[in-house]
Amino acid sequence: MRAGGLPILTYHAFDATGGVTATDPAWFAETLSTLTSAGFQAVDLASWIAQGRPPVERGFALTIDDGLRSIVEVADVVARYRATATVFLVTDRVGSDNGWPGQPAHVPRGPLLSWSELESLGSLGFRFAAHGRTHLPLDRCDDGQLDEELRGSRDAIEQRLGRPCPLFAYPYGRSNPRIRQAARRHFAAAFGTRLDTANSEQDLHQISRIDAFYLRSRRVLDRLATGRLQGWLRLRRTLREGRGAMTHPFSWRFELSA
Ligand SMILES: [Zn+2]
């Protein structure tokens, strides 16, 4: 592993359906057990950013996109390991569901947590960050819509939950220089889906993450727990970029589900 690279893991739904965006709660518990047994500690993402992204010898961070209600399936696990998990919220949809326009057909529809449920999760180690107002792909927004999605989701979280909201995750992981410039105006840091550990050399508004889909096997989890993930990530990136997002059906579907 690259010295000091922080694995930021990205989750969506928690159930045992085996879907591309779902993680079995039992496997999530096993993941935290394996990592903590290996001496890893869960890092609070906002603090890590505020501290200037220092190298972390044995750390990882948990992120959960969209704010689905199935998060409650793992709330006790997060609390038990005294971990911090950052949940990226789609603020106009809080308390509703994830059936936003553009949601791929293969992603199961599910309810999203309400503001009061989010508030009660705060005491169990969950932190909240922005993921847009409506989950629009930002590269399809004009400047006014872009500002509304970024600033609007930040303001909603700060007003409803009464805490600063310095972090953003791009819907579908999609950003470009115009989007990142706008994100810089409203957030201390923003996250994409480039498959890599995170470090202080990366653009603060295009920080890499590792989708939990890749951590479903014991073999890959053990690589992470023993500091041998970096070479494997490089290989996966090469395969992903080589085949092209639009030419491989699974890759294309997966990219859109992020
Ligand atoms: Zn999302």
Side-chain angles (χ1 to χ4, degrees):
M1 186 184 293
R2 182 197 183 98
L6 179 70
I8 303 174
L9 313 182
T10 307
Y11 293 86
H12 287 85
F14 295 96
D15 59 54
T17 58
V20 172
T21 56
T23 299
D24 189 328
W27 181 248
F28 180 80
E30 180 63 27
T31 301
L32 262 60
S33 167
T34 300
L35 291 175
T36 51
S37 299
F40 278 68
Q41 286 193 331
V43 167
D44 180 307
L45 207 45
S47 303
W48 183 69
I49 297 290
Q51 290 160 11
R53 294 179 290 174
V56 181
E57 196 53 51
R58 283 177 181 274
F60 66 101
L62 298 171
T63 64
I64 306 172
D65 284 8
D66 301 342
L68 287 157
R69 180 166 288 147
S70 62
I71 288 171
V72 298
E73 302 295 331
V74 297
D76 63 326
V77 178
V78 169
R80 193 188 320 147
Y81 287 98
R82 298 181 191 285
T84 305
T86 302
V87 185
F88 290 97
L89 303 173
V90 183
T91 54
D92 278 12
R93 308 289 299 204
V94 168
S96 172
D97 60 46
N98 66 344
W100 39 75
Q103 180 72 288
H106 73 278
V107 175
R109 302 307 190 253
L112 302 182
L113 292 158
S114 68
W115 288 113
S116 61
E117 289 168 329
L118 293 168
E119 217 167 344
S120 51
L121 282 176
S123 60
L124 298 175
F126 291 84
R127 302 291 176 264
F128 304 102
H131 195 37
R133 282 183 57 178
T134 64
H135 210 279
L136 265 177
L138 300 180
D139 51 355
R140 293 189 197 152
C141 293
D142 64 27
D143 287 347
Q145 283 177 306
L146 176 59
D147 191 70
E148 200 40 48
E149 289 288 326
L150 295 168
R151 188 180 42 73
S153 58
R154 182 200 63 191
D155 289 353
I157 289 167
E158 293 188 340
Q159 284 161 19
R160 298 301 295 252
L161 299 174
R163 287 177 176 220
C165 176
L167 308 182
F168 186 84
Y170 301 108
Y172 311 103
R174 283 154 74 166
S175 75
N176 59 33
R178 178 181 70 106
I179 294 166
R180 291 192 286 277
Q181 191 176 350
R184 263 178 221 113
R185 285 198 293 274
H186 302 301
F187 297 96
F191 300 81
T193 54
R194 184 174 186 274
L195 187 61
D196 200 357
T197 55
N199 62 66
S200 62
E201 289 165 24
Q202 287 166 2
D203 182 341
L204 246 179
H205 293 79
Q206 195 177 20
I207 297 176
S208 298
R209 294 193 291 170
I210 300 168
D211 196 283
F213 173 81
Y214 293 103
L215 286 179
R216 284 181 176 189
S217 80
R218 164 61 63 187
R219 191 174 57 86
V220 179
L221 177 58
D222 285 345
R223 275 185 172 273
L224 173 58
T226 54
R228 295 178 297 117
L229 193 65
Q230 203 60 42
W232 186 87
L233 289 175
R234 202 176 306 120
L235 176 65
R236 296 300 311 193
R237 275 201 306 276
T238 306
L239 291 172
R240 208 160 77 152
E241 284 156 16
R243 69 192 175 205
M246 296 305 286
T247 56
H248 190 285
F250 174 74
S251 171
W252 175 74
R253 295 191 335 188
F254 180 68
E255 292 295 331
L256 275 183
S257 72

